[in-house]
Amino acid sequence: MTALLTVTNLSRRFGGVHALRRVCLDVAPGETHAVIGPNGAGKSTLFRLIGGQLTASAGGIVYDGQRIDRLPPHRRARLGIAIAFQDAPVFRGMTVAENAMVGAHAVTRAGPLAAVLRLPRHRREEKEIRTAAAAALDRAGLAAWADRPAEDLPLGRQRALQMARALCGRPRLLLLDEPASGLRGPERTALAGLIEELRAEGLSILLVEHDVGFVSRLADRVTVLDLGRVLATGPFPEIRTDPVVISAYLGAPA
Amino acid sequence: MKWIIALAAAAVVPFFLPPGQLTVYILLGLSAMAVVGLSLLMGYAGQVSLGQASFTAIGAYTAGLLAVHGVPTLLGLLAAPLVAALAAGLVGVPILRLRGHQLAFATLALQLILLSVLGDADWAGGAVGLQGLPYLSAGGFELNQDRDYACLVLAGVVLTTLIASALVRSRVGRGLRALATAPVAAGASGVPVGAYRLLVFAVSAAFAGLAGGIYAFYVGYLAPGSFPVLLSVEYVVMAVVGGLGSIAGALLGATLITLAVQLLTTLATQPGMPSYAPSVLSYAVYALLLIAVVRYVPKGIVPALLLRKGILATLHRRSS
Ligand SMILES: Nc1ncnc2c1ncn2[C@@H]1O[C@H](COP(=O)(O)OP(=O)(O)OP(=O)(O)O)[C@@H](O)[C@H]1O
Ligand SMILES: [Mg+2]
């Protein structure tokens, strides 16, 4: 099967810092692919290059058979790439439900004129957006918070809200940058359950996570980054015993 | 319901005001139109414009120049918001790359440039300006009474308010509010951040331009001095005092400030007051009000009232 996402020799420098060096990685349709590595390895940089928040110094990104590395972020979102950022930004001054509704931008079209003239198309779309947001909040366990201002949510819930926002855009590729960090036991389990559900539905997922247990449970394949380079790629059991990976990151298996 | 009462009150007022006071009503309405636009820009899209009166001037001069060249006045009035929006679209491409006070200063600089260009341009009447503009006429009916303009201005306020509130509650409005606080996340959600910034800038300019167009026909003469930087400052103060991101706040802010300035002007033009007293007093009051609002009701009056009554949540529910 051809990959949904193919990253080829991607490099990104910040001044003298090589955040990524000739990174290659692919995500098959329906695959959950974890990216692990120590702090500063370049994981978030990789995600932001794929999402379009950063531009590459060199290399290419092909998504669904199309070069996307020159497209602005909103165009990539329309192609089905959604990203939940590590710092979990929320739209302040908007309710939790409205935050999720913003995510539907990627799959809706009604412009300002349709809204001002209250065209039927606009009203139909609004109804769809509201339904989609309610469903997404439900999945993310946020239904009870729907009418609260987003900034009132505790940080863990703000991460869940990002997930809901991303799902509202019905993505085909979901980038999750440390979605479980700061979550407590039951929240973690719920998140893992949701990710498993999404995988079962055929969504392709690229996931950054430090928790080895989390990764081994969810990921079909793992790519290990260190100092901007790919150390290894493969199924978790292989990675777990790779001597290079062990010495650089994981430490000896217990 | 509340809106209907407010509208009815606003519609009845001109018939009870003595003719001299109608001018205040009309100027208030014109400011309100511009401030509704500015509130969209500042409150919903998080962009500051310290030169919003540029677009009032562009609208006014568009209407005025077209009238001077014999174009039907109604066409001139329609052209005023369009040309203002077009101008905003053109200058917006470079300057909307700036953020925060850089953007504020850039818009201020634009207004200073515009005023000095207008002051030197023979085709725009130079420093003397355009004089003897005709009244607005439509379908054989000439609007030559203050009362006519009061009605026209009220219609303009209603129109801009309806457009603004429909926009805010829509998909596009959510995108605008989102990009105000987290532009990166908004872009990643599919919001075309740059295009929306340009859109709301153009819409706010169109509202100011429409106010300018009505102003031109109402007053009958235009000069660069009719659109001082003080007017832009006044718009900002009105928007902030009423509450950014609240259309009702924009209307309330415009009303309060206009009445306060009116009071001051009466005071400042008492015998014995120096000729610069009105503008000095205005600046002083703007400054004091801004400081007081930022200190005691940082969100502005209307949002503070809503919060106190605990109906913000209901409002959110209704808008979502
Ligand atoms: N905007 C930036 N400007 C300068 N340097 C940056 C920038 N963003 C990232 N870097 C640098 O690039 C390197 C990779 O950063 P990145 O955030 O991608 O790491 P990470 O693997 O996500 O780390 P963490 O696990 O801490 O999230 C780091 O050395 C970081 O300091
Ligand atoms: Mg990171």
Side-chain angles (χ1 to χ4, degrees):
Chain A
M1 209 177 335
T2 56
L4 179 63
L5 178 82
T6 311
V7 168
T8 317
N9 288 328
L10 204 59
S11 300
R12 169 72 205 210
R13 274 193 322 271
F14 294 106
V17 179
H18 290 263
L20 283 186
R21 303 190 215 206
R22 306 181 69 81
V23 164
C24 297
L25 170 146
D26 63 273
V27 180
E31 181 188 22
T32 297
H33 193 132
V35 178
I36 63 174
N39 291 96
K43 306 178 294 290
S44 295
T45 302
L46 172 65
F47 273 35
R48 295 163 77 81
L49 285 168
I50 298 170
Q53 287 74 37
L54 288 174
T55 48
S57 309
I61 306 171
V62 173
Y63 169 84
D64 198 17
Q66 181 188 349
R67 274 296 282 266
I68 59 163
D69 40 275
R70 301 240 163 257
L71 296 181
H74 70 272
R75 295 277 307 282
R76 303 192 200 192
R78 291 202 81 92
L79 291 174
I81 300 177
I83 176 164
F85 295 101
Q86 184 174 0
D87 56 349
V90 298
F91 306 125
R92 280 175 282 119
M94 299 174 76
T95 64
V96 168
E98 285 171 329
N99 265 261
M101 288 166 85
V102 172
H105 243 84
V107 285
T108 49
R109 309 213 144 263
L113 226 53
V116 170
L117 302 177
R118 296 175 192 277
L119 298 183
R121 185 161 68 89
H122 164 250
R123 272 182 291 173
R124 197 172 49 239
E125 223 178 60
E126 281 293 299
K127 205 180 288 171
E128 285 168 13
I129 293 173
R130 214 160 300 152
T131 316
L137 288 180
D138 213 28
R139 296 193 82 166
L142 290 172
W145 302 76
D147 293 326
R148 300 276 292 273
E151 61 269 32
D152 286 2
L153 292 180
L155 185 65
R157 302 267 179 193
Q158 293 192 359
R159 284 194 193 288
L161 179 53
Q162 283 218 89
M163 219 31 193
R165 171 177 60 67
L167 290 179
C168 228
R170 296 200 299 273
R172 290 167 63 202
L173 175 65
L174 183 56
L175 309 178
L176 301 174
D177 197 347
E178 305 200 16
S181 87
L183 296 196
R184 280 165 287 142
E187 290 172 339
R188 265 180 125 65
T189 320
L191 178 71
L194 175 56
I195 294 175
E196 274 180 335
E197 245 177 74
L198 295 173
R199 179 170 62 168
E201 287 164 23
L203 195 65
S204 305
I205 298 169
L206 201 53
L207 170 76
V208 170
E209 184 45 54
H210 285 292
D211 181 338
V212 171
F214 206 84
V215 168
S216 68
R217 170 174 168 190
L218 294 171
D220 300 301
R221 274 193 303 163
V222 177
T223 290
V224 185
L225 280 185
D226 185 34
L227 295 175
R229 290 180 208 277
V230 174
L231 286 190
T233 296
F236 186 73
E238 267 174 39
I239 293 294
R240 190 72 190 86
T241 52
D242 187 313
V244 180
V245 176
I246 289 172
S247 71
Y249 178 56
L250 287 176
Chain B
M1 193 56 212
K2 251 178 267 153
W3 283 102
I4 296 173
I5 296 171
L7 178 62
V12 166
V13 163
F15 294 94
F16 288 95
L17 285 176
Q21 295 296 313
L22 268 179
T23 307
V24 178
Y25 180 91
I26 292 167
L27 294 181
L28 191 172
L30 293 176
S31 297
M33 289 160 67
V35 174
V36 166
L38 187 63
S39 183
L40 271 185
L41 184 71
M42 289 177 66
Y44 289 101
Q47 296 169 200
V48 182
S49 169
L50 264 183
Q52 200 66 2
S54 317
F55 301 113
T56 319
I58 289 172
Y61 270 87
T62 300
L65 284 169
L66 288 176
V68 165
H69 289 94
V71 177
T73 50
L74 190 60
L75 278 185
L77 183 63
L78 293 178
L82 293 181
V83 173
L86 200 72
L90 286 179
V91 301
V93 172
I95 72 168
L96 289 179
R97 290 170 188 277
L98 304 173
R99 299 261 64 88
H101 40 274
Q102 289 183 341
L103 179 62
F105 285 127
T107 49
L108 177 64
L110 271 180
Q111 181 170 358
L112 293 173
I113 292 168
L114 178 72
L115 291 181
S116 80
V117 167
L118 285 175
D120 282 335
D122 290 334
W123 50 267
V128 181
L130 302 174
Q131 306 202 333
L133 300 178
Y135 282 119
L136 181 68
S137 60
F141 180 75
E142 191 182 71
L143 281 75
N144 51 20
Q145 300 292 313
D146 276 9
R147 198 151 284 160
D148 303 335
Y149 283 91
C151 294
L152 180 65
V153 161
L154 181 61
V157 172
V158 170
L159 180 72
T160 50
T161 304
L162 285 178
I163 291 177
S165 57
L167 204 59
V168 165
R169 268 193 293 246
S170 71
R171 163 181 182 270
V172 175
R174 282 189 299 273
L176 286 172
R177 292 162 64 198
L179 72 83
T181 63
V184 171
S189 309
V191 176
V193 173
Y196 275 21
R197 282 193 174 130
L198 206 55
L199 171 81
V200 71
F201 194 47
V203 168
S204 77
F207 289 1
L210 181 61
I214 297 176
Y215 177 86
F217 294 119
Y218 171 60
V219 174
Y221 68 87
L222 299 171
S226 317
F227 310 98
V229 169
L230 185 60
L231 185 60
S232 294
V233 174
E234 187 176 304
Y235 291 161
V236 171
V237 175
M238 288 171 170
V240 172
V241 166
L244 292 175
S246 154
I247 291 163
L251 299 176
L252 182 78
T255 308
L256 286 180
I257 301 292
T258 305
L259 294 181
V261 166
Q262 200 53 36
L263 212 80
L264 276 178
T265 314
T266 321
L267 219 112
T269 47
Q270 295 295 317
M273 287 297 233
S275 63
Y276 51 78
S279 71
V280 167
L281 278 180
S282 305
Y283 270 119
V285 163
Y286 295 156
L288 288 178
L289 269 173
L290 262 187
I291 293 169
V293 164
V294 169
R295 175 77 180 75
Y296 296 105
V297 268
K299 286 182 191 264
I301 293 175
V302 167
L305 288 177
L306 291 179
L307 266 180
R308 175 160 296 179
K309 287 168 80 182
I311 61 174
L312 197 62
T314 357
L315 257 183
H316 274 303
R317 209 166 302 145
R318 220 184 305 158
S319 72
S320 62

